[in-house]
């Protein structure tokens, strides 16, 4: 067993025993004073409450059971500069193969890319912080960000960890999710591609996030919604920091019980040993300075019907098996590109969480975030330009969007904003 991992397991075990002993002793102390949040205010107050050690012990046991299930045995571990631990896990032992329909299988060979795809763009391979160490995972393994106890305890429950908490409708502003997006519908879609600039927007509290991504969508915006999603996000709740991180998501029932972020459930099959889903992206764009963008492409393999993901300079990350979905087994009926934030209104007014660079679209290059070279994939596995473009900004005074077209960037758009301002109270 790897000594780093062995030490980590021993340390967690010791912590649990100490915590359990503390809880058992505390039961004899009766009611105690604790800090409890007051709804809809930023203050806390002292209230009398009684500890429930048995409930807490049960939760801790559920956390440990989940960690044992999701953190697979590693042949090598890499310590990232941002504090992450990257486990190099044998590819056939990754979480995807816990799925009943994948048990005993191995990852498929790479799919044929869509026609018209250009792999000549020069992009540095050092696009994630953990790669800055100079370490890499051995052949036959995949790098997986290790999930920690603290990661799970930040979530509302073990069951909801790694899942989006929301109801879905096309205009989701009533549920705290706000968008500035370009979308196309009215046809059958077999994939989408774009390059998007990477920033580190400010997220003002733990229960909000800011992301930029591509959505592949099918079904209605009811209980049967199917989505495949990939991009970058800043999510203090999920990761415990404010780094922009490469992420994936999927659902086949409108974010209710199926799907998850990254590799936090069985579903997405990773095939690449150079990319860690959920790991921090580096470098990032700076205001009025150097701009850094990443290429993303999702497409349906004509041979097997699975949905493949490409990241950065032509790196095939892996695939979502077709059987995970209902509507997306055949095709998508909508593709979408852009930004999304969560607005909890925790202080009684609109959040100051930023989208994109935190600046409005009108500021343009080197100041506003962008997507460029937007394309979709047609029924014959060809990359084609968008022809039926729609723009949507849920709250244009908080986050807006401007679209254009030229010979170099093809179809592109700038988007984002600061959130709360004089026109966005």
């Amino acid at each position: 067993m790897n000594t780093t991992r062995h030490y980590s397991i021993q340390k967690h075990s010791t912590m649990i025993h100490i915590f359990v002993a503390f809880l058992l002793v505390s039961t004899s102390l009766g009611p105690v004073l604790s800090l409890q949040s007051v709804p809809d205010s930023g203050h806390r107050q002292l209230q009398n409450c009684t500890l429930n050690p048995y409930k807490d012990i049960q939760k801790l046991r559920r956390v440990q059971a989940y960690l044992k299930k999701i953190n697979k045995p590693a042949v090598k571990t890499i310590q990232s500069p941002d504090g992450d631990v990257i486990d190099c896990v044998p590819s056939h032992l990754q979480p995807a193969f816990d799925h009943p329909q994948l048990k005993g299988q191995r990852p498929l060979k790479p799919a044929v890319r869509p026609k018209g795809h250009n792999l000549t763009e020069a992009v540095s391979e050092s696009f994630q912080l953990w790669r800055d160490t100079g370490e890499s995972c051995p052949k036959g393994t995949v790098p997986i960000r290790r999930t920690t106890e603290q990661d799970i305890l930040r979530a509302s429950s073990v069951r909801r960890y790694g899942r989006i908490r929301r109801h879905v409708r096309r205009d989701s502003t009533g549920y705290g999710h706000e968008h500035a997006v370009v979308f196309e519908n009215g046809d059958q879609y077999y994939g989408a591609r774009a390059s998007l600039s990477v920033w580190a927007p400010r997220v003002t509290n733990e229960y909000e996030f800011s992301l930029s991504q591509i959505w592949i969508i099918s079904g209605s915006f009811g209980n049967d919604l199917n989505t495949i999603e990939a991009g970058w996000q800043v999510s203090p709740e999920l990761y415990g920091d404010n780094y922009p991180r490469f992420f994936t998501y999927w659902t086949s029932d409108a974010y209710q019980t199926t799907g998850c972020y990254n590799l936090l459930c069985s579903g997405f099959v990773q095939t690449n040993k150079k990319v860690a889903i959920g790991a921090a992206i580096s470098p990032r764009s700076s205001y009025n300075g150097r701009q850094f963008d990443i290429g993303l492409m999702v497409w349906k393999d004509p041979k097997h019907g699975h949905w493949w993901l490409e990241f950065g300079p032509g790196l095939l990350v892996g695939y979502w098996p077709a059987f995970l979905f209902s509507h997306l087994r055949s095709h998508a009926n909508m593709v979408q590109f852009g930004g999304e934030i969560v607005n909890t209104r925790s202080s009684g007014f609109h959040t100051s969480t930023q989208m994109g660079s935190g600046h409005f679209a009108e500021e343009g290059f080197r100041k506003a975030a962008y997507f460029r070279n937007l394309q979709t994939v047609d029924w014959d596995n060809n990359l084609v330009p968008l022809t039926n473009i729609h723009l949507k900004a849920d709250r244009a005074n908080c986050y807006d969007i401007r679209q254009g077209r030229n010979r170099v960037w093809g179809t592109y758009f700038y988007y984002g904003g600061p959130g709360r301002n004089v026109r966005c109270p």
Side-chain angles (χ1 to χ4, degrees), residues 198-200 284-292 354 356-360 362-369:
V198 179
W199 295 79
R284 301 150 205 160
S285 301
S286 59
Y287 186 80
N288 222 13
R290 183 189 174 197
Q291 302 301 288
F292 176 74
Q354 300 172 334
S357 69
H359 294 262
F360 286 114
E362 64 187 17
E363 294 194 41
F365 189 60
R366 289 208 296 265
K367 297 177 180 178

Side-chain angles (χ1 to χ4, degrees), residues 180-184 337 361-362 369-374 385-392 400-406 409-415:
V181 295
V182 161
F183 66 93
E184 178 170 305
F337 312 79
E362 64 187 17
Y370 64 81
F371 277 64
R372 63 178 175 88
N373 300 110
L374 275 61
L386 278 67
T387 58
N388 184 28
I389 297 174
H390 304 273
L391 275 67
K392 182 172 181 59
D400 68 355
I401 185 166
R402 290 191 178 187
Q403 181 253 330
R405 181 173 178 79
N406 63 37
W409 278 18
T411 299
Y412 68 89
F413 63 89
Y414 291 101
Y415 70 102

